[in-house]
Amino acid sequence: PTPAPAAATSAAAAEALQLHARADELALAGRRGPEALVEAVGRALANLSLPHRTSLAAQLRSVLHESIGEAAGDPVALACWDEILASSASNAFRHPDDVAPLTAKLSWSGEIMWNRILSFVVSLESLAGGLQAVSRSFRQTVSRPECWQGHIITLSEHHFRGATVRGEIGWGKAFAMLPALRDANTLRVSCFTSGALRSQFLPPLSGACRAFCRDVRLL
């Protein structure tokens, strides 16, 4: 017989609770604990379904930003993060030729083409974010400063969606774009639906511009 919905839900909740307990056991396993957690997360990213991988990746990104933010006053920790991220970036983009135009490797019809396209997608919802959310090659291209040289760039409220401010430091989509905009002519911030929210982001954005875009006018 098929279990009743309430019974199935209760069983799933009990199983999830057991998994929570096992995760805590890993975290408390002495010096080996953090390494075991990292291993578990890596295997989860390799084996979970796309929606769950997407959610986990987003949470890992937030944790990473939080840790970097906590290290803002510690030059040694910041130098360590710089080395870690530089090494990770070199590994992540070790084979740029793998991101060749689709026409060079595949026909433009059938399931194979869509499998290749969707392999670049963080989530189906991210398709609404534009081509940069789908094509890794396009995203790498628009991250090059020469693409924006001499342009007037306008940051809208949606660029700051999900951004975080801690003290005088902010991070999020708008802040991540700044290194690529260092050769732009002008950087404008459009009106927000909330003036208070705009005022909250302007000081850390101004500080980040002084660090990454010294020659760019911020309006």
Side-chain angles (χ1 to χ4, degrees), residues 88-111:
S88 298
S90 66
N91 291 332
F93 302 111
R94 183 175 296 169
H95 303 295
D97 292 341
D98 290 346
V99 195
L102 293 179
T103 51
K105 294 185 177 180
L106 301 170
S107 67
W108 278 94
S109 61
E111 184 178 351

Side-chain angles (χ1 to χ4, degrees), residues 145-153 183-186:
E146 55 264 34
C147 290
W148 307 100
Q149 187 172 6
H151 287 278
I152 298 174
I153 312 298
D183 294 330
N185 179 282
T186 303

Side-chain angles (χ1 to χ4, degrees), residues 61 65 143 170-181:
R61 182 179 178 181
H65 283 304
S143 297
W171 62 84
K173 182 188 298 184
F175 298 94
M177 294 168 61
L178 293 179
L181 303 180

Side-chain angles (χ1 to χ4, degrees), residues 18-30:
Q18 291 177 359
L19 294 176
H20 282 299
R22 289 166 63 184
D24 284 340
E25 289 177 4
L26 283 179
L28 299 174

